Amino acid sequence: MVEIFSNKKINVGRQVDLDLAKAGSIIFMVFVHCLLLADSFNSSFSPIFFHGIDDLLGGPMCAPLFMFCMGVGLVYSRNAQSDIMIKRGISLLILGILVNVGEFISAHFLSGFLLNDWTTFPIYGGLMLFAVDILAFAGMSFIVFGIFKKLNLSNMQMLLIAFALSIVGSLMRMTVFEYNYINLLLGYLIGTDVQFTTFPFFNWFIFPVAGYVWGQYYIRAYKDRFFRFWPIFFIIPVIYFYFSISIPGAFLIDDSHYYFMTTIDALFCLIYIHGAMGLFYFLSDKLPQKLLDIAGTLSRYINGIYIAQWFLIPLIVILLVYLVDGMVFNDLNVTLISIVVLILSTWLAVGYKKFRKRFDGIRKKKLNIN
């Protein structure tokens, strides 16, 4: 019998395939966010481009992969103590509010002042400042992981809790309440109104938990055997996703069904993610070193890039509509916009990290002198 796993951790340190996965998730996020914001204005996209970005690359290969990798990262983290995870979760919740300033608030006021359009990006009396985006979800996940650590829960217990929450989220999704503030508050847990929540905790927690458990096998795996059947894991879910684009009520038919996915949808995403990780492993020794270095940079600065892109996308798209008479967004210019946003976001994320490191160094010197 062929052994798939070693008795000890053999895949330690930075893993190229994980870097490629995280880099892919943030690249696809930037592309889908540029596409969707541009689609709020005059646009003409080919069906292949729109569905390829919005549904396939910007769907299962995007946020689910991002959250799965977050769980895998906990296996590799040196700061996986319960108190540290809870503190990090609180920090991510605060960063989620910062992201909402760029994603919703700035888009509202830029569109209002420059285009005299105050309706395309509503903020519902300021409630959008607290809308549930991916960093808010990540914050809640870290807090709950910290609690799990304190309770010393087993992998099986965590998986059972995650599956139970997913089932509850599946049954309660699309429950829209009369008052917006209730939709917002409950939207942190279940899929209420897609205006206020895109990543309800119950529906999405299965991804970081699955990533955490998967990562404990991955770190001990002989990868050539672990990913031996990756094309099957990749192709079967793609067929499911393809039909989900057109069947009423299916996974990818619209934003609400995607963001408020069912347990079955999540399972197909998890199968797909294992296949995608196999693809990234296959590519890890075939891509040029320069591309692998870029992937490593995107992976290291993924949170900073995510924050920066939500400030840049509304600014660039709305400025283009304001400055270019008769602006029509299409496959080519949205691709170019996405590349520019990705480059600028990475530059800002790297620059902020260097500034923060230098600032912390100066502060430590002053404290030592005093």
Side-chain angles (χ1 to χ4, degrees), residues 118-135:
W118 298 92
T119 59
T120 300
F121 304 104
I123 57 173
Y124 299 98
L127 287 179
M128 295 305 292
L129 183 63
F130 304 99
V132 185
D133 206 336
I134 200 167
L135 287 186

Side-chain angles (χ1 to χ4, degrees), residues 190-368:
I190 62 172
T192 55
D193 189 333
V194 77
Q195 296 291 339
F196 298 106
T197 178
T198 46
F199 298 102
F201 182 78
F202 282 16
N203 301 71
W204 286 82
F205 188 54
I206 192 170
F207 291 108
V209 171
Y212 178 68
V213 175
W214 183 91
Q216 293 172 58
Y217 290 94
Y218 168 85
I219 201 169
R220 297 186 295 106
Y222 299 108
K223 291 186 183 180
D224 56 335
R225 303 167 193 171
F226 188 57
F227 292 123
R228 184 178 178 184
F229 300 107
W230 72 262
I232 298 173
F233 284 83
F234 192 86
I235 293 169
I236 291 175
V238 167
I239 296 171
Y240 177 79
F241 300 147
Y242 174 78
F243 286 104
S244 295
I245 294 172
S246 56
I247 297 175
F251 176 39
L252 297 174
I253 193 67
D254 57 33
D255 286 347
S256 58
H257 284 82
Y258 168 70
Y259 288 123
F260 307 157
M261 69 172 69
T262 66
T263 305
I264 294 174
D265 300 329
L267 288 174
F268 273 99
C269 285
L270 289 171
I271 296 170
Y272 178 72
I273 287 170
H274 181 76
M277 292 302 305
L279 173 61
F280 290 127
Y281 169 68
F282 173 77
L283 294 173
S284 62
D285 63 352
K286 293 175 174 59
L287 293 175
Q289 187 59 45
K290 186 64 176 176
L291 287 180
L292 297 180
D293 291 340
I294 292 172
T297 299
L298 295 176
S299 173
R300 282 192 297 274
Y301 297 98
I302 191 168
N303 284 350
I305 295 169
Y306 182 83
I307 295 169
Q309 54 104 33
W310 267 128
F311 283 87
L312 291 171
I313 294 172
L315 176 63
I316 292 173
V317 169
I318 293 171
L319 274 178
L320 283 173
V321 175
Y322 176 70
L323 295 172
V324 181
D325 188 39
M327 179 69 191
V328 178
F329 293 101
N330 55 39
D331 300 6
L332 177 59
N333 57 38
V334 165
T335 298
L336 294 174
I337 292 167
S338 301
I339 293 171
V340 169
V341 168
L342 185 63
I343 293 171
L344 290 176
S345 298
T346 305
W347 178 74
L348 287 170
V350 173
Y352 172 76
K353 197 80 171 182
K354 289 181 178 178
F355 170 80
R356 183 66 184 270
K357 188 176 181 179
R358 189 178 303 168
F359 177 79
D360 288 343
I362 294 172
R363 188 176 62 175
K364 286 180 181 178
K365 284 183 180 179
K366 287 184 176 180
L367 288 174
N368 290 335

Side-chain angles (χ1 to χ4, degrees), residues 96-108 128-129 310-311 314:
I97 295 174
L98 176 63
V99 167
N100 290 341
V101 172
E103 184 177 355
F104 303 115
I105 309 300
S106 69
H108 175 75
M128 295 305 292
L129 183 63
W310 267 128
F311 283 87

Side-chain angles (χ1 to χ4, degrees), residues 63-182:
L65 180 61
F66 179 92
M67 297 171 182
F68 185 88
C69 288
M70 183 179 78
V72 177
L74 290 175
V75 178
Y76 283 83
S77 177
R78 298 174 183 175
N79 300 308
Q81 298 88 351
S82 58
D83 292 343
I84 293 177
M85 283 197 286
I86 290 172
K87 289 178 181 177
R88 187 177 179 188
I90 294 170
S91 297
L92 286 171
L93 281 170
I94 295 171
L95 284 175
I97 295 174
L98 176 63
V99 167
N100 290 341
V101 172
E103 184 177 355
F104 303 115
I105 309 300
S106 69
H108 175 75
F109 284 101
L110 280 170
S111 182
F113 285 119
L114 294 181
L115 308 178
N116 198 28
D117 176 7
W118 298 92
T119 59
T120 300
F121 304 104
I123 57 173
Y124 299 98
L127 287 179
M128 295 305 292
L129 183 63
F130 304 99
V132 185
D133 206 336
I134 200 167
L135 287 186
F137 166 80
M140 289 186 286
S141 296
F142 269 99
I143 291 171
V144 174
F145 265 116
I147 295 171
F148 284 176
K149 278 277 188 180
K150 281 184 179 293
L151 297 175
N152 199 28
L153 296 187
S154 67
N155 286 344
M156 182 57 67
Q157 288 172 319
M158 286 189 284
L159 283 172
L160 287 174
I161 291 171
F163 272 106
L165 291 177
S166 177
I167 292 170
V168 173
S170 301
L171 296 174
M172 298 188 68
R173 68 181 189 155
M174 315 293 182
T175 305
V176 180
F177 297 89
E178 182 180 356
Y179 300 104
N180 285 335
Y181 71 89
I182 297 178

